[in-house]
Amino acid sequence: MISVRVTQGSSNHTKAEATIYFVPESFDFAQYCGEFAKSNCSFLQQLMEKHRFTGSLGSELAVPIERQGVVSYALFVGLGKALSNGSIPVENMRRAVGTAIKKSMALKSESCCINVPDAGLFGVSEGYLVEQIVIISNMASYHFNEFITDANKKFSLFEIVLCGTAGDCTESIKRGEIIAKGVNTARHWIDLPPSDLTPPQLADKARAIAKEYGLAIEVFDEKKVNSMGMGGLAGVARGSDNDCQFVILRYTTAKKDAPTLCFVGKGITFDSGGLSLKPAQSMETMKEDMAGAAAVITAMQIIAQLKPDVNVIGITPLAENLPSGKAIMPGDILNFYNGKTAEVKNTDAEGRLILADALAYASLECKPDMIIDIATLTGACTVAVGPFYIAMVSQHEELKERVKASSRATGERVWELPMDEDYRKAVASDVADVANIGASQYRASTITPAFFLQEFVGQTPWVHLDIGSSAYNTPDISYLRPGATGVGVRLLVDIALQWR
Ligand code: BES
Ligand code: ZN
Ligand code: ZN
């Protein structure tokens, strides 16, 4: 984590190794480039013209400067154009912060000073802007490097000094740090090799978080899962030597009669496909298949610290999906926690099998006011919405609106897919209550699993989020890098914080 502090002084007087100026497209030089620009006016203007630096989104210009006898950089970063309403989208600021941090690190700056632009430029409050700067700076500087032994390939940014803020930013910085730490923790778990993060190891991490942040926790091991009749989770885990785990984290608000929200995250620590084995290339990134569980556990970590006025329960079924002489077979019929049965037609559609027990447990035992599940559920999600969106499937209009509002507030983009009744027949089975894959003529394989999952939520308002395309290797976003994105963490946290 980067340490962030505020200075009331001018950025000219910090010892930061890079000083960042954010400038809108076709900017006013004197207004945006600060004191440094005033004393280097014609030189800087020439340089910007020469490099055709106009402030367009994604652009940057690093100017080496000497400060108190030490090499430093003035780094100009473009914010892009304002919309027709006159304000610049906050996402432009997030991208610009990502660009600035990546560039500072490439320049080997261990500390940088950020001149915080006027929040009015984005139509937001200063507190929110500062919080976003803190979150994104930390996301941009994340690097999964613990297995890299070459010291030249590792570099850390240690300190950010914020300049030019008007109000007291202490709370916003703290919130930003809490959220960023959660997001980067999720990314770290997802990036860990699957042999270093088995279901019992991930359950241990949840235990450590419960202890550190004061959450209640219950963990059911494989024996208990079996005895409770969770045949979906137990079935998927049968092929693996590692025990499955069922983790329940609880945050309880001090407020009386508060509603209860339930988050359920898919936690397949490795998905080989089982006997319906995946081809080698599709298996390469399947350590990402616990990204939903990681999002739920780390959202709980954040919620424990930000303390919203709602009760929140985070449930994560954890298992490995491997083939072996003990593994479930296509044709098997499984019995779930709510008494329903499912025909397994394809052992690679395992996510819905473990989620089924978790959703049934959530609705029957927790009686929550709503359930949101988050899962790297389908490869088809990549075709449906691609790497920049979470796919949302639900028949509950009001809950979908809440998710969309939090999507706008956090910048975690959500796209709704239709859950029309026409698709329901896709998961009909001749021999059980439901089948675990959709019949081929219905296609739409990011939509049809929602009808499978719906069998297990009863009447509870429920939204299904598929992060199959956005949890890993999202390209081109300046504050991400190859590997885990941490998608969903900020969204879930905001839903809990905004709940009224
Ligand atoms: N974990 C995969 C989905 C996935 C694929 C996530 C690629 C992220 C990237 C899931 O368990 C799976 O294998 N789904 C199958 C379902 C099919 C058998 C109906 C799929 O999407 O191909
Ligand atoms: Zn699978
Ligand atoms: Zn899977």
Side-chain angles (χ1 to χ4, degrees):
M1 290 285 290
I2 307 171
S3 108
V4 183
R5 64 183 174 87
V6 175
T7 176
Q8 298 308 328
S10 144
S11 59
N12 272 8
H13 304 304
T14 72
K15 290 210 174 96
E17 294 174 80
T19 304
I20 296 157
Y21 301 88
F22 292 105
V23 293
E25 194 152 344
S26 314
F27 55 99
D28 175 53
F29 188 79
Q31 187 183 350
Y32 289 103
C33 300
E35 282 176 43
F36 168 72
K38 280 179 203 139
S39 46
N40 297 277
C41 183
S42 87
F43 158 76
L44 243 186
Q45 264 175 334
Q46 276 181 53
L47 201 65
M48 285 180 172
E49 267 166 43
K50 192 171 167 63
H51 289 271
R52 295 188 173 74
F53 177 81
T54 59
S56 62
L57 187 60
S59 65
E60 31 130 303
L61 180 68
V63 185
I65 54 177
E66 190 224 288
R67 193 183 270 162
Q68 293 153 22
V70 186
V71 184
S72 163
Y73 292 90
L75 179 54
F76 299 90
V77 181
L79 287 170
K81 281 198 199 74
L83 300 173
S84 54
N85 68 8
S87 61
I88 295 175
V90 197
E91 182 61 22
N92 285 27
M93 180 63 187
R94 294 191 192 97
R95 305 276 173 103
V97 170
T99 304
I101 297 296
K102 289 273 174 73
K103 184 70 185 178
S104 303
M105 291 174 73
L107 294 168
K108 302 275 183 262
S109 306
E110 291 189 350
S111 60
C112 68
C113 173
I114 293 181
N115 287 289
V116 178
D118 179 1
L121 206 55
F122 310 97
V124 300
S125 70
E126 185 177 78
Y128 175 82
L129 184 66
V130 166
E131 179 193 293
Q132 292 298 311
I133 291 174
V134 174
I135 295 173
I136 298 302
S137 300
N138 277 289
M139 286 180 71
S141 62
Y142 168 86
H143 183 194
F144 179 66
N145 60 15
E146 65 185 75
F147 290 86
I148 295 173
T149 58
D150 181 350
N152 293 320
K153 288 189 180 157
K154 300 186 187 196
F155 183 79
S156 299
L157 176 68
F158 293 109
E159 187 187 40
I160 291 177
V161 183
L162 300 177
C163 269
T165 51
D168 178 8
C169 301
T170 325
E171 274 305 303
S172 306
I173 292 174
K174 209 171 129 198
R175 285 166 59 91
E177 286 177 339
I178 288 170
I179 295 170
K181 188 170 178 192
V183 173
N184 283 350
T185 301
R187 294 168 82 190
H188 181 247
W189 293 347
I190 297 161
D191 281 330
L192 278 173
S195 297
D196 291 288
L197 192 83
T198 60
Q201 285 171 310
L202 184 49
D204 280 344
K205 295 203 183 290
R207 281 192 189 94
I209 277 172
K211 189 158 179 226
E212 183 170 357
Y213 299 99
L215 293 163
I217 185 165
E218 257 183 294
V219 181
F220 306 149
D221 63 10
E222 189 157 317
K223 204 167 146 222
K224 176 86 174 157
V225 164
N226 264 302
S227 71
M228 291 180 73
M230 296 184 169
L233 177 56
V236 170
R238 247 164 54 188
S240 140
D241 290 344
N242 286 311
D243 264 19
C244 66
Q245 309 278 309
F246 190 88
V247 178
I248 307 156
L249 284 164
R250 283 195 174 83
Y251 160 77
T252 310
T253 170
K255 204 178 163 212
K256 287 255 161 350
D257 303 319
T260 297
L261 317 183
C262 196
F263 298 140
V264 174
K266 170 178 173 181
I268 294 291
T269 58
F270 186 72
D271 183 8
S272 71
L275 287 176
S276 311
L277 196 66
K278 285 182 185 295
Q281 224 191 345
S282 313
M283 227 187 278
E284 263 173 36
T285 64
M286 277 303 125
K287 66 176 184 180
E288 70 166 289
D289 215 17
M290 35 58 74
V296 167
I297 298 168
T298 57
M300 293 301 293
Q301 162 183 331
I302 298 166
I303 286 165
Q305 298 169 82
L306 299 184
K307 302 195 191 316
D309 289 336
V310 285
N311 300 315
V312 190
I313 304 176
I315 299 183
T316 58
L318 311 174
E320 271 173 348
N321 187 22
L322 295 178
S324 83
K326 293 197 190 108
I328 48 168
M329 294 167 273
D332 275 341
I333 297 176
L334 302 176
N335 293 288
F336 296 86
Y337 187 74
N338 67 347
K340 292 202 180 185
T341 60
E343 177 187 5
V344 177
K345 288 186 168 173
N346 188 316
T347 64
D348 197 12
E350 84 299 338
R352 58 202 83 179
L353 299 175
I354 68 165
L355 287 175
D357 280 322
L359 292 171
Y361 182 89
S363 64
L364 294 170
E365 307 303 330
C366 309
K367 300 194 173 47
D369 294 85
M370 67 87 155
I371 303 175
I372 294 177
D373 79 75
I374 179 161
T376 46
L377 206 73
T378 67
C381 192
T382 312
V383 183
V385 296
F388 306 119
Y389 276 83
I390 297 171
M392 171 165 69
V393 196
S394 168
Q395 291 181 328
H396 199 281
E397 299 307 321
E398 193 196 316
L399 191 48
K400 279 190 284 194
E401 285 313 313
R402 287 182 188 267
V403 176
K404 285 179 194 169
S406 289
S407 167
R408 287 188 292 273
T410 58
E412 296 221 272
R413 287 173 287 178
V414 168
W415 197 260
E416 184 184 348
L417 300 181
M419 196 176 164
D420 298 358
E421 283 301 315
D422 306 73
Y423 298 100
R424 186 181 296 280
K425 281 207 190 100
V427 292
S429 165
D430 292 332
V431 293
D433 295 335
V434 65
N436 87 325
I437 57 169
S440 61
Q441 68 268 35
Y442 292 89
R443 302 184 282 273
S445 34
T446 300
I447 296 172
T448 56
F451 287 92
F452 178 95
L453 297 174
Q454 201 184 41
E455 297 289 321
F456 302 91
V457 295
Q459 297 305 310
T460 314
W462 158 74
V463 158
H464 164 58
L465 299 176
D466 194 334
I467 52 169
S469 59
S470 52
Y472 202 81
N473 281 349
T474 293
D476 301 339
I477 307 287
S478 63
Y479 49 87
L480 297 175
R481 51 178 302 126
T485 62
V487 73
V489 180
R490 291 174 288 157
L491 183 75
L492 294 181
V493 168
D494 193 73
I495 291 166
L497 292 177
Q498 298 308 324
W499 198 272
R500 296 286 177 278

